[in-house]
Amino acid sequence: MTREARRYVLAAAVVAALGTVWCVAHLTVGAGTEAIAYAFAPAGGVFATAAVFRLLRTGALQPVARRFWRTMLAAVALVSFGYAWFAADILIHWTEAATRSMPLPAAACAAIGFLIAIWAMVRVPVVPSEGVEWWRILLDRTIGFLGCAVVLWYAGLAPMIGAADPWSPQAMVLTGLGLLVAVGAATKVSYVAGGPVDRDAIRLMAASGGFTAAIVTVIAVRLGPPGAVPAQAIVMPLTPLLATLAVWVQARADAGLRNRPGRSGVLLPYLAVAAADVPLVAVALGAPLSWPSRVVLLAAVVVTVLVTLRQYLAFRENTRLLASTRVQEERLQYEVSHDGLTGLANRALFRDKLAAALASGEPVHVLLVDLDDFKNVNDLLGHGVGDHLLVSVAQLLRAEAGPHALPVRVGGDEFAVLLTGTRAEPEALAARLLAALDRPISEHRLLVQASIGIAAAGPDATVDSVLRDADVAMYTAKQGGKASFVRYVDGMGEPVLAHMRLGGELRRALDDDEFRVVYQPILSLYDGRVVGVEALLRWHHPDRGVVGPGEFIAAAERTGLIVPLGRFVLRETCRQAAAWLRRFGPHALREAGLNVSARQLHDPDFVADVTAALAESGLPCERLVLEVTESAVLRGQQVSRTLHELDSLGIRLALDDFGTGESSLSLLRAFPAAIVKLDKSFVDGIEIDDGRPAASDARQAVARAVIQLARALGLDTVAEGVESAEQAAVLRELGYTLGQGYHLAEPLTAEGVTELLARQQSMTTVGLLRQGRAAPGHGPGVAAGVADGSTTVL
């Protein structure tokens, strides 16, 4: 369609050019009669009508654009038909061309065409608006319309009406309608933000009527009747040319070549006011104060009133926007400096306030409050309950701190309070906070404890140094048993710093392969036979020598290195147990166990690590024992799912340190344990005989209850921490069959366990040979005479 539209433009341009050439020839050499001048405009109108018709035949137009151009087709056709009628009438009466007026039916057709064009432009959608914006646009359009109309009235239409040789009413009506099309379209297009009808196409359609009408008006005023020939031959053919250009622009827009829409209606009111001032300047410079001038003055007054009203609306809108902007700025400032969950000040505001207090030189104290074991709340009850608890703690902190302190949520489950002034009592506030936390809080009635560190700013203190001191004091409170507060003193940070350095050394030691696995045998209390081993971790430090787990496991838990350390122990234990199984047979060593921390059980890859270690080593699942403490079992749904998944794989689970927790009996029902390990604290002193049977029975009560409960539930039992032959004897009497401890066997290297198993197998073979039924590599072996307590396995 773009190429066809261009052909119509060229055709209309040819007609306009022919009209110009003929007009020049007529005015210079007298070529042809004046009646010929009236034929060029309707000739071009044929091409304009055909162009609009061809545009409607394409399927590219959207419904709104199709409606606009369908209406424009009727307008262009009627205007072209009216002027064709006029041309035919003039040609028939060519001798009267200089004085003959347009026939009323022809003028009516053209006038109806102009009115239809105005209606088509009125229906074009403008910028969507409502409320104050709708009134603003209405005022702007009214101002623009009046301002432009004043100029066209003063410079064009009024002189035509008041001329000594006035034009015919038909000509003045059509000229007025053309000017009305131009003014209305200019006002309309200024607020069309783009859409199915191209903005430039609307401008060209408006110019086809208004631009030519304005030029014709100027010619009529300046030249009078002699100006009819150039007006009809040169100016009027521009109307169909501009209409075909509008069709071409619309076709390009539908082909995806639409220009980027500009800003709508920004300059129109200002241009309109300037236009309305032009006639006023003319009157001020001496133009006669005729009735057209009075119309101009009246219109200028109306424009001034409308502009004043427009500025008032703009003032109100700007005031509202400024107020809204201030509210938004205050809201953004609040959100930037406050915690979104609790409403307390956040870390950034805390640091700013602390820096300002330090700069002022007044006394400054900081309380750092960390909730103890808050992770258990999220794991067991969910993050929603945890958030409610944090909000309740924030409310409690705000109430206890008072109006002169700044409570802060530093992050996660960590809070702080900034105290300034000489009347600050940080210890009293810390005591009040701990006392308040002794009562259930939040809508879920939960008990939560906190560790509080207190730091006072010294003479040369900085923000970071004060926060570091408070953090050290808080960590010291946690190390001291939690649910307490500690005030920072010089030198308190040394142990904490050493602990932090220990974490870095652990990472290096893991990378440098400084860890070794040793194995403590688990023996039968009746014949000393090695039943299994428990894997233990040792750190071979290059400077400190062998370091026991008690010195580094806590740091490994805190830094998260317990996960890769546990993975190392798991793989090494499985590999070594599989090697012993291949060498000594299935009866030499029943199981190999290792301790698993709660942090490992929370790791989503832990089950995959276990199955991978078993697959790589070839160790059967039922020969691996994973030992879990009671506190680890109670660490939430993730731990419970992991344990049940391990149990479903056939891996045996042992409840380590049994009897020391608060929910031991209920755990045996919920936890898929296969083994119960009696804690060393119930073995210590079990052998003491002070001659008082009641006291002896009391010391043995827990051990007796555990073995009876285990038998009822079908669980194996192992007594931990057996340190003497007397303890082993009492445990045998109570029914325990397995034990481990330094009296039975100390932790051994893999080579030491290998020698022990080899010696046990050799003794078993010798015993079987003496009985005449040797079976090399199979059957139980006796490592030592543990039954009578005479020998230990070392």
Side-chain angles (χ1 to χ4, degrees):
M1 177 58 199
T2 305
R3 186 176 301 173
E4 294 182 17
R6 189 184 297 115
R7 293 196 188 102
Y8 289 117
V9 172
L10 291 175
V14 169
V15 172
L18 290 175
T20 302
V21 172
W22 178 87
C23 182
V24 172
H26 174 75
L27 294 176
T28 55
V29 299
T33 177
E34 293 182 8
I36 297 175
Y38 293 86
F40 293 103
V46 172
F47 294 111
T49 304
V52 178
F53 179 77
R54 185 66 185 86
L55 177 65
L56 289 170
R57 294 291 300 272
T58 64
L61 290 176
Q62 298 183 24
V64 174
R66 183 172 296 279
R67 182 185 66 188
F68 172 80
W69 287 106
R70 189 185 298 117
T71 309
M72 277 297 175
L73 176 62
V76 172
L78 283 172
V79 172
S80 300
F81 178 75
Y83 278 95
W85 188 336
F86 184 29
D89 182 77
I90 289 293
L91 288 173
I92 294 173
H93 304 88
W94 61 273
T95 57
E96 305 173 12
T99 59
R100 191 171 180 82
S101 299
M102 188 176 189
L104 287 178
C109 287
I112 293 173
F114 279 120
L115 292 174
I116 292 175
I118 293 172
W119 173 243
M121 293 180 184
V122 167
R123 298 178 68 191
V124 175
V126 295
V127 180
S129 59
E130 58 183 9
V132 175
E133 182 67 12
W134 185 88
W135 283 103
R136 184 189 67 80
I137 292 178
L138 178 62
L139 287 173
D140 286 350
R141 293 169 69 182
T142 305
I143 294 169
F145 181 84
L146 289 177
C148 296
V150 165
V151 174
L152 294 177
W153 163 263
Y154 185 80
L157 199 58
M160 288 180 65
I161 297 174
D165 188 9
W167 285 44
S168 66
Q170 298 94 312
M172 287 188 289
V173 169
L174 293 178
T175 301
L177 289 175
L179 296 176
L180 186 62
V181 169
V183 174
T187 307
K188 184 77 173 185
V189 172
S190 296
Y191 291 94
V192 175
V197 183
D198 190 80
R199 288 162 52 95
D200 293 334
I202 298 177
R203 288 191 175 100
L204 289 169
M205 289 302 294
S208 67
F211 177 71
T212 55
I215 297 178
V216 168
T217 301
V218 172
I219 293 175
V221 172
R222 298 298 179 186
L223 301 179
V229 171
Q232 293 294 331
I234 298 176
V235 179
M236 292 298 292
L238 295 178
T239 295
L241 175 60
L242 292 172
T244 55
L245 281 172
V247 173
W248 177 65
V249 169
Q250 182 67 55
R252 291 182 76 251
D254 293 335
L257 303 175
R258 186 188 303 270
N259 295 328
R260 180 181 299 176
R263 299 177 64 184
S264 301
V266 176
L267 298 178
L268 179 63
Y270 305 99
L271 294 176
V273 172
D277 289 338
V278 172
L280 293 178
V281 172
V283 172
L285 293 177
L289 191 60
S290 59
W291 70 270
S293 299
R294 290 187 175 91
V295 172
V296 169
L297 292 174
L298 182 61
V301 171
V302 174
V303 169
T304 302
V305 172
L306 294 177
V307 169
T308 303
L309 183 59
R310 167 70 172 80
Q311 291 303 110
Y312 172 71
L313 291 179
F315 171 75
R316 286 188 56 187
E317 183 66 11
N318 290 338
T319 302
R320 186 189 64 82
L321 290 175
L322 287 174
S324 176
T325 301
R326 282 194 296 268
V327 171
Q328 291 179 359
E329 288 178 353
E330 292 174 358
R331 182 181 305 164
L332 289 174
Q333 184 63 33
Y334 180 86
E335 292 176 354
V336 167
S337 59
H338 288 76
D339 176 57
L341 176 64
T342 63
L344 296 179
N346 61 13
R347 179 188 290 270
L349 180 59
F350 177 47
R351 291 182 66 90
D352 291 343
K353 294 292 186 181
L354 178 56
L358 292 175
S360 68
E362 60 182 336
V364 176
H365 291 82
V366 170
L367 277 73
L368 197 60
V369 183
D370 188 86
L371 302 184
D372 296 331
D373 302 319
F374 178 77
K375 189 175 185 300
N376 292 341
V377 177
N378 283 336
D379 292 340
L380 294 172
L381 302 178
H383 289 274
V385 176
D387 288 345
H388 281 99
L389 182 58
L390 291 175
V391 172
S392 298
V393 171
Q395 294 172 350
L396 184 149
L397 202 64
R398 190 181 289 111
E400 296 295 338
H404 303 296
L406 177 66
V408 181
R409 185 188 180 197
V410 180
D413 61 343
E414 193 171 72
F415 297 84
V417 180
L418 174 62
L419 299 173
T420 58
T422 56
R423 297 184 179 181
E425 298 179 347
E427 285 84 358
L429 175 57
R432 291 199 305 271
L433 290 175
L434 294 178
L437 291 175
D438 280 339
R439 299 182 296 272
I441 62 174
S442 88
E443 60 187 61
H444 300 90
R445 309 300 297 164
L446 299 177
L447 278 173
V448 63
Q449 295 178 329
S451 299
I452 303 176
I454 303 173
D460 298 323
T462 63
V463 171
D464 291 330
S465 67
V466 174
L467 294 179
R468 182 183 64 246
D469 293 346
D471 194 52
V472 168
M474 182 271 292
Y475 185 82
T476 304
K478 281 190 176 294
Q479 293 294 98
K482 304 179 181 179
S484 62
F485 68 86
V486 171
R487 187 184 183 101
Y488 178 82
V489 295
D490 292 339
M492 185 178 285
E494 294 299 327
V496 177
L497 184 60
H499 195 74
M500 295 176 64
R501 289 173 178 168
L502 182 60
E505 288 193 62
L506 284 175
R507 178 73 268 178
R508 179 198 54 76
L510 191 59
D511 295 337
D512 293 347
D513 195 25
E514 294 179 2
F515 291 99
R516 300 289 183 271
V517 178
V518 297
Y519 303 89
Q520 185 171 31
I522 300 174
L523 277 65
S524 169
L525 295 177
Y526 288 93
D527 56 15
R529 178 172 54 90
V530 178
V531 175
V533 293
E534 177 183 354
L536 304 173
L537 188 62
R538 298 291 185 267
W539 180 8
H540 288 247
H541 195 281
D543 299 323
R544 299 165 58 188
V546 179
V547 181
E551 298 185 42
F552 64 83
I553 288 297
E557 287 273 5
R558 181 180 57 83
T559 59
L561 290 175
I562 193 66
V563 174
L565 279 175
R567 190 180 298 120
F568 163 73
V569 175
L570 172 66
R571 291 178 177 175
E572 184 63 21
T573 302
C574 290
R575 183 196 64 78
Q576 187 60 63
W580 287 327
L581 182 64
R582 288 190 296 269
R583 177 172 177 178
F584 298 109
H587 299 291
L589 192 68
R590 189 173 70 187
E591 61 195 26
L594 65 148
N595 290 284
V596 178
S597 71
R599 187 73 174 269
Q600 289 175 270
L601 295 174
H602 274 290
D603 183 9
D605 297 328
F606 180 67
V607 175
D609 289 340
V610 173
T611 54
L614 291 171
E616 292 172 3
S617 63
L619 182 70
C621 295
E622 65 274 7
R623 292 187 178 270
L624 177 64
V625 175
L626 299 181
E627 300 183 9
V628 186
T629 61
E630 296 179 30
S631 59
V633 175
L634 295 173
R635 293 297 287 272
Q637 296 295 325
Q638 173 65 31
V639 171
S640 179
R641 285 193 297 268
T642 300
L643 293 174
H644 281 85
E645 190 172 352
L646 292 169
D647 178 66
S648 66
L649 294 175
I651 298 168
R652 306 182 76 206
L653 302 177
L655 196 57
D656 197 15
D657 300 335
F658 185 77
T660 58
E662 298 179 358
S663 305
S664 301
L665 298 181
S666 62
L667 278 180
L668 292 179
R669 299 180 59 186
F671 173 55
I675 303 169
V676 172
K677 301 190 76 172
L678 181 68
D679 187 69
K680 181 180 183 299
S681 60
F682 300 112
V683 176
D684 292 340
I686 198 173
E687 79 286 3
I688 297 175
D689 184 6
D690 54 4
R692 295 183 296 171
S696 179
D697 290 342
R699 285 190 291 272
Q700 300 174 11
V702 174
R704 184 180 294 108
V706 170
I707 191 64
Q708 292 174 353
L709 184 62
R711 286 175 177 173
L713 296 176
L715 306 177
D716 292 337
T717 55
V718 177
E720 298 181 299
V722 181
E723 303 292 347
S724 66
E726 291 77 14
Q727 290 177 350
V730 174
L731 290 169
R732 283 196 304 273
E733 292 176 3
L734 293 175
Y736 286 86
T737 60
L738 302 177
Q740 67 180 109
Y742 275 63
H743 168 69
L744 302 177
E746 295 182 1
L748 304 172
T749 62
E751 292 76 12
V753 175
T754 300
E755 294 176 4
L756 177 61
L757 293 176
R759 187 164 63 249
Q760 177 175 281
Q761 185 180 66
S762 175
M763 294 175 62
T764 302
T765 302
V766 171
L768 291 176
L769 288 173
R770 289 176 179 175
Q771 298 177 15
R773 49 185 179 86
H778 299 280
V782 179
V786 179
D788 58 3
S790 59
T791 310
T792 58
V793 180
L794 298 174

